C-alpha cells in the first residue's frame, strides 16, 4: 500500500531498461579517474582464430555526446561473478541471483533517473544539447542537472541492490573500505564507474558464494553512504529527495537518500535462557517478559503497536548493575522469548548488538555503523531488538577529552535516534542499553532511556540458594534442605514486593529530599504535592529535567497496563496476534487499570533513585580522579625539588 505522495514506478518502465542493464553487466568500457585498479579485468578464454563476440555497452541516452574511454579489456561483471569458484564450470544459483539482482537494480536506477529528468528541465536540455542549440547561459544548469541525475541513479542502484540481496545475506561480512569512483558527469558514466569499482571489490574479497553476497552488499552500503554525503549540498537534487517512488513487484520504496530495508530476520546462535534461569532481578525480569509480549502486539499492516498508541510502550531502557549480576542473562532471556514467539507467529525477528569493535578509526565510519545498526532494528517490516552492551565504553561523553571522535559520533547518532525530532515510535522494536558504570554515560543520552532496569542480581538468602541449585545442575545427590526451590522467584509476588520497596527512596540524597518534602507538605496524595516533590528533586539535582518527568509518566502508563498478555495468545496467534489492529487495541484497553498515587510515587522514586545513584557515582569518580591528580602533582613537585 502506497501513500498518496508516493508515485508508482511502472514495471514496464523498469523492464524497458533490461537490455541496457544486461549489456552493462556483460561488458562496459571504463578507464578509472579516481580509483586505482588493483586487479586485472576478466579476460575470456577463446579458441584460436575465434573473434570476440561480447558486446560492449555504449550510452544511447538522448542528448549525451560523450567520448569513449574504451580500452581493449573492459569490465565484464557477470564473468567476474562466475569465476569466483574456479573449480565449477557452471554458474551457481546464488551467483545467478546476484546477477539478476544487479540487473534489476540497474534497471530501477535508470528508470528513476528517467523520472527525475522528466520532472525537471533535464529532458528539454538534453534534447537541445543533442541538436546543438543549447544556450550558453543554460549550460551551468545542464551540468548541475546531469550531476544530480547521476547522484540519484547511483544512490538508487546501491539502495535497490542492498534491498534485493538482503534476504540472501549470511553471517559473513566484507570490509571493502570506502568507495572512490563516484562520477557525476552523467548517469551512464556514473554507473560505469560503479560497476568498475564493484568488479574490483569482487576480485579482492569474494572467494565463494557467501563472500560474494557480502562483498556486493558491503559495496552497496558504502556507495549509498558516499553518494548521500555528496548529495547533501548538491544543487538541483530536490527533484530526487522530495519525491518518492514505489516498485510494487519488489515492495521497494525509493525515497531520496533514505535506505530501503528488506524484512529479513536474523538467525540467532546465542544461548537462550528461560525465565526460571534468571534468579533475582525481579522487576527487570518482569518488565523484560512483558516487553517481549508487547512487541508481539505490533500490527504489520497498520505499522503500529496498540501499546505505542496508548502510551505504554518501552522504546528504550537502561539496564545497570555491578559486573556478574545478570545483564547478559537478561538479554539472552528476552532474545530467546522473542525468537520463539516470532517463530510461532511466522514474523521476521531481527536481533543486533552494537559493540565496541564497531568504533572505527576512519572519520565518519563509526557514525555510519551506528546509523546502520539503528536502521536495521527500526525496520518496520520486522520485530526488532537492539542491544548496546557496555554503552559507557561505546558512546563518549560530550566534552570528554578521553572520548575518541568515533565515540562522539556514536553518541550523536544514538541521541538523535532515541529522542530526536524525526524519531517515530511504531512499537515494533526496542533498544536496551547496558552498563556496569552508567554514570560514565553522557547525561543527555542516559536520560533518553525511558525505563530503568536495576540489574542487581541475587539479593536474598533464598536467591542465593536458588542460583546455587540452578548452576550446580543435576549431577549430584546433595539434599536441598529446608528450602522450597524457586518459590522466591514466583513472579507476581516478587515483583509486588520489589515495587512496594520503592514507596520510599533508597539513595541517601533522594531520601533527604523525601523527608524534607514530607515535613513541609505532608502525605503526597495530590498532583500538586507530587509536582512539589518533583521540583524539590530538581533543585537537589539540576539534571532532573522535563525529560525525566516524561520518562516517569511513561513508566506510570506502563504500570497502568500492569498485566501480562496470556501465554496462550503467543502460542495460538489466531487468539490475538493475527486479529485486526482495532480489535487488538480494544482487547488491550479492556485489561488496563486506573493509575494510582502509589504507582506514581513508586515510579518517581525508582527513576530518581537511579539518577541519584549515577550522580553520586559520577561525582565520587571525579573527586577520586582529582585527588589522584593532586597527589601526582605533589609527588612530581617533591621529586623536582630533590633533583635540584
Amino acid at each position: 500500500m502506497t501513500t498518496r505522495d508516493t508515485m508508482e514506478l511502472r514495471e514496464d518502465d523498469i523492464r524497458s531498461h533490461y537490455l541496457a542493464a544486461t549489456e552493462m553487466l556483460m561488458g562496459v568500457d571504463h578507464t578509472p579517474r579516481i580509483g586505482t585498479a588493483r586487479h586485472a579485468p576478466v579476460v575470456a578464454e577463446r579458441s584460436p582464430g575465434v573473434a570476440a563476440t561480447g558486446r560492449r555497452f555504449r550510452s544511447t541516452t538522448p542528448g549525451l555526446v560523450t567520448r569513449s574511454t574504451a580500452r581493449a579489456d573492459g569490465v565484464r561483471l557477470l564473468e567476474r561473478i562466475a569465476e569466483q569458484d574456479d573449480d565449477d564450470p557452471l554458474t551457481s544459483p546464488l551467483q545467478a541471483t546476484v546477477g539478476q539482482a544487479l540487473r534489476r537494480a540497474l534497471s530501477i536506477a535508470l528508470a528513476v533517473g528517467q523520472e527525475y529528468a522528466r520532472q525537471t528541465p533535464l529532458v528539454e536540455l538534453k534534447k537541445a544539447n543533442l541538436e546543438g542549440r543549447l544556450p550558453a547561459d543554460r549550460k551551468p544548469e545542464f551540468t548541475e542537472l546531469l550531476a544530480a541525475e547521476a547522484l540519484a541513479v547511483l544512490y538508487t542502484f546501491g539502495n535497490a541492490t542492498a534491498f534485493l540481496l538482503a534476504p540472501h545475506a549470511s553471517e559473513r561480512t566484507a570490509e571493502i573500505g570506502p568507495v572512490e569512483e563516484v562520477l557525476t558527469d552523467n548517469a551512464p558514466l556514473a554507473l560505469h564507474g560503479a560497476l568498475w569499482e564493484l568488479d574490483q571489490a569482487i576480485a579482492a574479497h569474494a572467494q565463494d558464494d557467501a563472500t560474494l553476497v557480502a562483498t556486493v552488499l558491503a559495496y552497496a552500503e558504502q556507495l549509498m553512504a558516499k553518494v548521500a554525503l555528496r548529495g547533501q549540498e548538491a544543487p538541483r537534487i530536490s527533484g530526487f529527495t522530495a519525491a518518492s517512488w514505489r516498485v510494487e513487484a519488489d515492495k521497494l520504496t525509493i525515497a531520496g537518500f533514505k535506505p530501503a530495508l528488506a524484512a529479513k530476520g536474523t538467525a540467532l546462535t546465542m544461548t537462550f535462557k528461560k525465565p526460571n534461569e534468571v534468579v533475582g532481578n525481579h522487576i527487570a525480569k518482569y518488565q523484560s517478559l512483558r516487553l517481549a509480549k508487547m512487541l508481539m502486539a505490533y500490527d504489520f499492516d497498520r505499522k503500529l503497536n496498540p501499546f505505542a498508541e496508548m502510551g505504554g510502550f518501552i522504546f528504550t531502557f537502561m539496564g545497570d548493575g555491578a559486573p556478574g549480576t545478570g545483564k547478559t542473562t537478561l538479554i539472552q532471556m528476552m532474545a530467546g522469548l522473542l525468537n520463539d514467539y516470532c517463530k510461532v507467529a511466522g514474523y521476521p525477528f531481527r536481533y543486533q548488538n552494537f559493540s565496541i569493535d564497531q568504533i572505527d578509526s576512519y572519520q565518519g565510519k563509526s557514525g555510519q555503523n551506528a546509523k546502520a545498526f539503528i536502521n536495521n532494528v527500526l525496520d518496520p517490516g520486522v520485530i526488532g531488538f537492539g542491544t548496546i552492551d557496555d554503552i559507557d565504553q561505546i558512546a563518549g561523553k560530550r566534552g570528554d577529552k578521553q572520548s575518541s571522535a568515533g565515540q562522539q559520533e556514536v553518541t550523536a547518532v544514538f541521541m538523535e535516534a532515541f529522542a530526536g525530532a524525526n524519531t517515530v515510535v511504531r512499537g515494533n522494536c526496542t533498544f536496551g542499553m547496558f552498563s556496569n558504570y552508567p554514570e560514565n554515560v553522557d547525561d543527555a543520552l542516559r536520560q533518553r532511556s525511558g525505563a530503568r532496569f536495576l540489574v542487581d542480581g541475587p539479593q536474598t538468602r533464598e536467591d542465593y540458594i536458588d542460583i546455587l541449585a540452578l548452576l550446580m545442575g543435576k549431577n549430584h545427590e546433595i539434599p536441598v534442605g529446608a528450602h522450597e526451590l524457586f518459590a522466591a522467584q514466583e513472579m507476581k509476588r516478587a515483583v509486588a514486593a520489589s515495587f512496594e520497596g520503592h514507596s520510599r527512596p533508597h539513595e541517601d540524597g533522594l531520601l533527604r529530599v523525601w523527608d524534607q518534602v514530607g515535613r513541609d507538605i505532608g502525605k503526597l496524595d495530590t498532583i500538586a504535592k507530587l509536582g512539589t516533590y518533583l521540583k524539590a528533586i530538581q533543585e537537589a539535582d539540576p539534571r532532573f529535567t522535563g525529560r525525566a518527568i516524561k520518562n516517569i509518566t511513561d513508566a506510570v502508563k506502563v504500570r497502568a497496563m500492569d498485566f501480562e498478555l496470556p501465554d496462550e495468545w503467543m502460542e495460538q496467534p489466531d487468539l490475538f496476534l493475527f486479529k485486526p489492529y482495532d480489535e487488538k487495541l480494544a482487547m488491550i484497553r479492556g485489561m488496563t487499570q486506573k493509575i494510582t498515587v502509589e504507582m506514581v510515587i513508586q515510579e518517581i522514586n525508582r527513576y530518581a533513585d537511579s539518577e541519584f545513584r549515577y550522580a553520586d557515582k559520577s561525582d565520587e569518580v571525579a573527586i577520586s580522579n582529582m585527588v589522584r591528580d593532586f597527589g601526582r602533582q605533589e609527588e612530581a613537585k617533591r621529586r623536582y625539588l630533590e633533583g635540584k
Side-chain angles (χ1 to χ4, degrees):
M1 182 175 178
T2 58
T3 58
R4 188 173 300 173
D5 59 347
T6 298
M7 299 169 286
E8 179 188 2
L9 198 61
R10 297 191 313 148
E11 188 65 22
D12 289 346
D13 292 338
I14 296 172
R15 288 181 175 271
S16 69
H17 296 286
Y18 269 16
L19 177 59
T22 302
E23 290 188 338
M24 284 191 201
L25 293 173
M26 290 173 62
V28 296
D29 296 322
H30 183 75
T31 301
R33 294 188 190 172
I34 305 171
T36 303
R38 294 182 174 84
H39 298 273
V42 175
V43 179
E45 293 184 4
R46 302 183 181 90
S47 300
V50 177
T53 57
R55 290 154 58 177
R56 298 287 184 82
F57 181 78
R58 296 289 189 277
S59 172
T60 57
T61 305
L64 293 185
V65 181
T66 58
R67 291 181 301 169
S68 172
T69 56
R71 52 180 189 175
D73 44 17
V75 178
R76 297 184 177 87
L77 199 59
L78 290 180
E79 293 181 33
R80 177 73 78 185
I81 291 170
E83 76 166 6
Q84 296 315 301
D85 51 356
D86 295 330
D87 57 339
D88 191 342
L90 297 179
T91 302
S92 72
L94 196 55
Q95 290 170 354
T97 298
V98 171
Q100 292 281 354
L102 289 172
R103 183 180 73 166
R104 180 75 176 173
L106 283 169
S107 301
I108 292 171
L110 290 168
V112 167
Q114 194 173 55
E115 289 297 312
Y116 170 84
R118 287 173 182 167
Q119 295 175 24
T120 64
L122 186 54
V123 167
E124 171 198 341
L125 294 177
K126 283 182 178 180
K127 184 178 180 181
N129 182 59
L130 184 63
E131 296 172 355
R133 56 179 179 83
L134 181 66
D137 60 345
R138 299 200 69 179
K139 286 184 178 179
E141 178 188 2
F142 183 44
T143 301
E144 290 176 351
L145 285 168
L146 285 175
E149 181 193 28
L151 291 171
V153 167
L154 279 176
Y155 190 87
T156 303
F157 171 56
N159 200 359
T161 299
F163 182 89
L164 295 171
L165 284 180
H168 305 282
S170 65
E171 299 300 318
R172 302 288 289 275
T173 59
E175 290 291 336
I176 66 169
V179 300
E180 298 174 342
E181 193 75 359
V182 176
L183 307 178
T184 57
D185 300 53
N186 55 65
L189 182 62
L191 289 175
H192 291 186
L195 294 178
W196 172 85
E197 193 158 19
L198 177 56
D199 176 77
Q200 292 286 306
I202 292 173
H205 301 282
Q207 293 87 36
D208 51 31
D209 282 359
T211 52
L212 171 64
V213 174
T215 300
V216 176
L217 285 172
Y219 175 76
E221 292 171 1
Q222 290 292 337
L223 178 65
M224 290 163 63
K226 185 67 171 283
V227 173
L229 193 62
R230 289 275 294 273
Q232 287 179 358
E233 299 180 357
R236 307 186 188 277
I237 196 64
S238 60
F240 174 64
T241 56
S244 176
W245 293 275
R246 176 75 171 176
V247 182
E248 197 58 44
D250 302 312
K251 307 300 182 187
L252 165 65
T253 300
I254 304 296
F257 296 122
K258 181 180 179 182
L261 297 171
K264 173 184 178 292
T266 52
L268 295 185
T269 55
M270 69 166 62
T271 302
F272 295 142
K273 297 292 185 182
K274 299 295 182 184
N276 62 351
E277 296 178 291
V278 180
V279 176
N281 299 321
H282 302 299
I283 292 180
K285 179 167 68 171
Y286 178 62
Q287 290 189 316
S288 296
L289 283 165
R290 289 182 54 218
L291 180 53
K293 291 184 176 180
M294 278 184 180
L295 283 165
M296 296 303 297
Y298 177 70
D299 189 277
F300 283 87
D301 292 329
R302 189 72 65 89
K303 296 288 190 291
L304 186 62
N305 192 316
F307 285 102
E309 181 177 336
M310 295 172 66
F313 182 78
I314 300 173
F315 180 54
T316 54
F317 63 91
M318 170 78 76
D320 73 280
T325 50
K327 292 183 290 298
T328 302
T329 306
L330 273 176
I331 294 173
Q332 293 170 330
M333 181 198 78
M334 187 169 168
L337 287 170
L338 284 168
N339 186 68
D340 293 344
Y341 293 159
C342 286
K343 279 184 177 179
V344 172
Y347 292 165
F349 172 53
R350 183 176 296 160
Y351 168 77
Q352 285 202 344
N353 179 62
F354 192 85
S355 57
I356 191 67
D357 60 0
Q358 289 169 280
I359 304 297
D360 203 283
S361 57
Y362 283 103
Q363 184 175 1
K365 178 62 175 175
S366 300
Q368 290 177 15
N369 291 342
K371 190 66 177 175
F373 161 74
I374 294 292
N375 288 337
N376 285 338
V377 178
L378 284 176
D379 183 358
V382 303
I383 301 297
F385 180 31
T387 56
I388 312 161
D389 210 358
D390 295 322
I391 189 170
D392 52 286
Q393 298 182 37
I394 292 170
K397 272 189 175 182
R398 290 169 298 172
D400 184 0
K401 296 179 180 179
Q402 302 300 318
S403 298
S404 69
Q407 290 172 310
Q408 297 287 346
E409 291 171 14
V410 168
T411 299
V413 170
F414 287 165
M415 287 178 62
E416 174 63 25
F418 295 157
N422 298 320
T423 301
V424 178
V425 179
R426 298 182 182 275
N428 68 303
C429 65
T430 188
F431 292 90
M433 297 174 274
F434 296 85
S435 175
N436 297 327
Y437 306 100
E439 67 277 4
N440 293 335
V441 180
D442 185 89
D443 290 339
L445 177 58
R446 188 178 66 240
Q447 288 173 5
R448 279 164 164 75
S449 56
R452 305 297 172 88
F453 294 180
L454 175 58
V455 187
D456 51 3
Q459 294 293 306
T460 65
R461 166 185 171 274
E462 289 75 13
D463 286 345
Y464 276 90
I465 296 173
D466 289 342
I467 195 170
L468 176 63
L470 178 68
L471 298 178
M472 284 276 289
K474 297 181 179 180
N475 188 26
H476 65 85
E477 297 180 357
I478 304 173
V480 173
H483 174 76
E484 185 181 350
L485 277 176
F486 305 116
Q489 312 309 320
E490 197 275 318
M491 189 67 70
K492 289 185 178 179
R493 185 175 68 183
V495 169
S498 296
F499 276 129
E500 198 172 306
H502 289 283
S503 296
R504 282 177 58 84
H506 293 174
E507 297 297 315
D508 291 339
L510 183 60
L511 194 56
R512 288 192 292 270
V513 176
W514 167 270
D515 290 338
Q516 183 61 49
V517 171
R519 287 192 295 268
D520 292 344
I521 62 175
K523 184 179 179 182
L524 303 182
D525 52 8
T526 67
I527 289 179
K529 290 182 177 180
L530 290 168
T532 303
Y533 179 39
L534 290 169
K535 175 58 180 174
I537 296 173
Q538 187 270 333
E539 290 175 349
D541 184 357
R543 289 172 286 196
F544 197 80
T545 61
R547 189 180 297 280
I549 311 305
K550 181 184 183 303
N551 291 337
I552 290 169
T553 54
D554 285 347
V556 171
K557 292 173 184 175
V558 172
R559 290 283 300 281
M561 288 181 276
D562 195 9
F563 55 84
E564 187 178 352
L565 300 181
D567 290 334
E568 294 78 17
W569 290 8
M570 303 296 116
E571 296 165 359
Q572 303 175 51
D574 290 333
L575 296 179
F576 175 74
L577 301 182
F578 292 169
K579 288 187 177 295
Y581 178 85
D582 293 333
E583 194 171 338
K584 284 194 282 192
L585 182 61
M587 292 171 72
I588 292 171
R589 278 198 172 130
M591 301 173 73
T592 58
Q593 58 180 305
K594 291 289 185 182
I595 294 172
T596 65
V597 172
E598 288 73 20
M599 286 183 193
V600 180
I601 291 174
Q602 289 168 5
E603 292 306 321
I604 290 174
N605 287 337
R606 260 194 351 117
Y607 189 93
D609 267 334
S610 68
E611 283 299 306
F612 272 74
R613 185 169 65 251
Y614 302 155
D616 290 345
K617 286 183 180 178
S618 181
D619 291 344
E620 185 59 38
V621 169
I623 292 170
S624 298
N625 289 338
M626 291 180 68
V627 169
R628 189 180 303 111
D629 289 340
F630 288 152
R632 288 172 178 168
Q633 290 178 14
E634 290 298 320
E635 179 64 19
K637 187 184 296 182
R638 184 186 65 78
R639 294 186 187 182
Y640 175 75
L641 293 174
E642 288 179 354
K644 275 193 170 183

